[in-house]
Amino acid sequence: MNAAADIDVVIVGGGIAGLGNAYALAAAGHRVRVLERAPDFTEIGAGLQLAPNATRVLSDWGLLDEVVELGVLPRRLVFRDALDGRELTHLALDDGFRQRYGAPYVVIHRSDLLRILVAACERAGVELVPGHEVDRVETHGDVAVVHAGTARHRARVALAADGLRSGLRTRLSDDEPLASGYVAYRGAFPVAEVAGHLGQDALRDVVVHIGPGCHLVQYPLRSGEIFNTVAVFESQAFRRGESEWGGPEELDAAFSGACDEVRRGLKSLWRERCWPMYDREPIRTWVDGRLALTGDAAHPMLQYLAQGACQALEDAQCLATEAAKSAGSEGPDWPRALSSYESIRTERTAGIQSAARVWGETWHVDGFARPLRNLLFSDRDPADYRHIDWLYGA
């Protein structure tokens, strides 16, 4: 190991991507430090869907039992029409599904997953450093120097896990986040508080109501103790070019024609805050010397395939695997490992970023396209996995 490096890997960002990478690398024997600008390692938000491509990773890491204990194993993924409420199709998340993909579909509160990853990192010896805002990263030969105020962190590799608005991504691309014009409102409340707003099978399924320019997603969390709701709609104010857009009045207008069950669901939202939805165009270069992008810093995507966190966990497993494959007597050949990671992951995530956009457009069609979409959904055999094998399969 180069004597100039005081640690193997420094990770910028302590979210799911940063901690997933930290754990995977530390469990493989690397010395890892995570720098998080916030005063502690916490996560805001509400529910998170973890498909089998992510839960297989968690199983490999020995963390799946903890995730299942704190989450929920839903019975089905159900799609309904938001206007008339009728079921269009469903995907059974049963034993056959788990056998096909080698792992379950789990829904979990984002903060619960983060706590599991923090504890796993601590057990693996990861150095977690909160309150550390990174200014820049320099690479010199086989060393990366991460600058955070007056501190200098020298490592063999630096990972940028600093999210959608990554400052470190600017070393590789001059692109900017792209506003979709859609806005999400969320809510996560104790079931006892929202019981009167819940539809049939609400505590057993992940239910997605899809409609013209809007959709509503609902599912239980924390062993059925909490109920999660997400409402997403296209802002007409954004389309008109207004600077202020996505307010609660637009939320109500977007769902004004929805069925009773959907309108009841709107009562289970936090209305004082919204989340505008952004992604970026895929880029093919994630590595600059000893700096590499990961998670949303590398491949921010719209939420329609519920793959943001899943792909971050895939990133982490891939990098740790490629580092192990490249290892010799002096440790990993990091340039080789980073190059392999980039080659494998850019192709996979670019496809998912593009597919997420198309999937969102399909959900939100109006006019004559709506009955055509509903017919395609309704004609699907519930045992047909052709359209998800590429996403969930090994």
Side-chain angles (χ1 to χ4, degrees):
M1 176 176 172
N2 191 306
D6 57 26
I7 205 160
D8 295 325
V9 183
V10 169
I11 299 174
V12 180
I16 290 170
L19 294 176
N21 275 279
Y23 178 72
L25 291 165
H30 303 288
R31 297 176 300 160
V32 182
R33 180 178 298 153
V34 180
L35 308 179
E36 167 56 43
R37 67 181 180 180
D40 48 33
F41 287 82
T42 58
E43 186 79 76
I44 60 173
L48 192 66
Q49 299 181 56
L50 297 175
N53 56 306
T55 55
R56 279 197 308 274
V57 173
L58 293 166
S59 179
D60 290 345
W61 292 349
L63 303 178
L64 182 57
D65 287 346
E66 293 178 65
V67 168
V68 170
E69 183 178 358
L70 292 181
V72 171
L73 295 170
R75 181 187 62 158
R76 300 185 305 165
L77 176 59
V78 181
F79 287 91
R80 296 181 178 274
D81 186 289
L83 300 188
D84 60 28
R86 68 187 179 94
E87 182 176 320
L88 302 176
T89 189
H90 72 268
L91 178 66
L93 306 175
D94 54 10
D95 289 342
F97 177 89
R98 290 189 283 270
Q99 290 170 8
R100 184 179 187 89
Y101 296 118
Y105 199 106
V106 182
V107 290
I108 188 171
H109 200 289
R110 185 176 290 270
S111 64
D112 291 340
L113 177 60
L114 198 79
R115 283 200 298 272
I116 290 169
L117 291 173
V118 166
C121 284
E122 290 173 340
R123 293 193 300 269
V126 175
E127 185 180 353
L128 300 175
V129 185
H132 236 57
E133 184 157 4
V134 170
D135 306 314
R136 67 187 189 280
V137 174
E138 298 174 349
T139 59
H140 306 285
D142 57 358
V143 174
V145 182
V146 180
H147 296 255
T150 59
R152 303 289 182 271
H153 304 268
R154 306 174 69 86
R156 300 190 72 188
V157 170
L159 294 182
D162 51 342
L164 166 73
R165 301 189 183 278
S166 169
L168 298 180
R169 181 180 168 117
T170 58
R171 286 181 57 112
L172 298 110
S173 175
D174 61 359
D175 70 324
E176 295 289 339
L178 300 173
S180 68
Y182 279 78
V183 177
Y185 279 76
R186 299 186 171 103
F189 294 91
V191 167
E193 293 183 15
V194 298
H197 307 151
L198 303 185
Q200 183 180 4
D201 295 325
L203 296 180
R204 304 175 66 192
D205 298 333
V206 175
V207 180
V208 186
H209 282 89
I210 54 179
C214 65
H215 73 267
L216 184 84
V217 184
Q218 294 186 295
Y219 51 84
L221 296 170
R222 290 184 181 158
S223 302
E225 297 176 0
I226 292 178
F227 196 69
N228 183 73
T229 302
V230 183
V232 173
F233 65 92
E234 184 179 21
S235 166
Q236 298 306 308
F238 176 85
R239 293 186 66 182
R240 293 191 297 266
E242 298 177 14
S243 58
E244 298 292 328
W245 51 279
E249 69 287 347
E250 285 199 272
L251 167 71
D252 294 331
F255 287 93
S256 61
C259 64
D260 290 344
E261 184 173 339
V262 170
R263 290 202 302 272
R264 285 196 301 270
L266 300 183
K267 299 177 181 178
S268 302
L269 298 170
W270 301 313
R271 297 175 67 91
E272 66 276 6
R273 178 180 179 182
C274 67
W275 285 261
M277 293 174 62
Y278 290 83
D279 67 353
R280 293 190 193 232
E281 295 291 347
I283 57 174
R284 294 294 181 180
T285 302
W286 291 5
V287 176
D288 179 14
R290 292 299 180 97
L291 171 68
L293 306 179
T294 190
D296 281 351
H299 48 72
M301 55 190 63
L302 297 178
Q303 294 95 322
Y304 302 116
L305 291 175
Q307 280 289 309
C310 298
Q311 291 306 304
L313 296 176
E314 281 193 19
D315 286 351
Q317 186 178 54
C318 178
L319 180 56
T321 298
E322 295 308 307
K325 287 181 180 177
S326 74
S329 59
E330 299 298 318
D333 179 342
W334 283 110
R336 176 182 160 197
L338 293 175
S339 177
S340 296
Y341 160 76
E342 178 186 69
S343 177
I344 294 167
R345 296 300 299 154
T346 53
E347 181 176 0
R348 164 85 164 155
T349 56
I352 296 173
Q353 285 175 281
S354 299
R357 289 179 174 180
V358 173
W359 197 224
E361 292 170 1
T362 302
W363 284 10
H364 298 142
V365 294
D366 197 0
F368 73 89
R370 174 177 163 250
L372 291 177
R373 179 209 59 203
N374 288 359
L375 180 62
L376 287 172
F377 275 50
S378 299
D379 279 352
R380 173 187 165 269
D381 183 341
D384 183 356
Y385 298 93
R386 287 176 299 166
H387 301 298
I388 56 173
D389 278 346
W390 73 276
L391 185 59
Y392 297 165

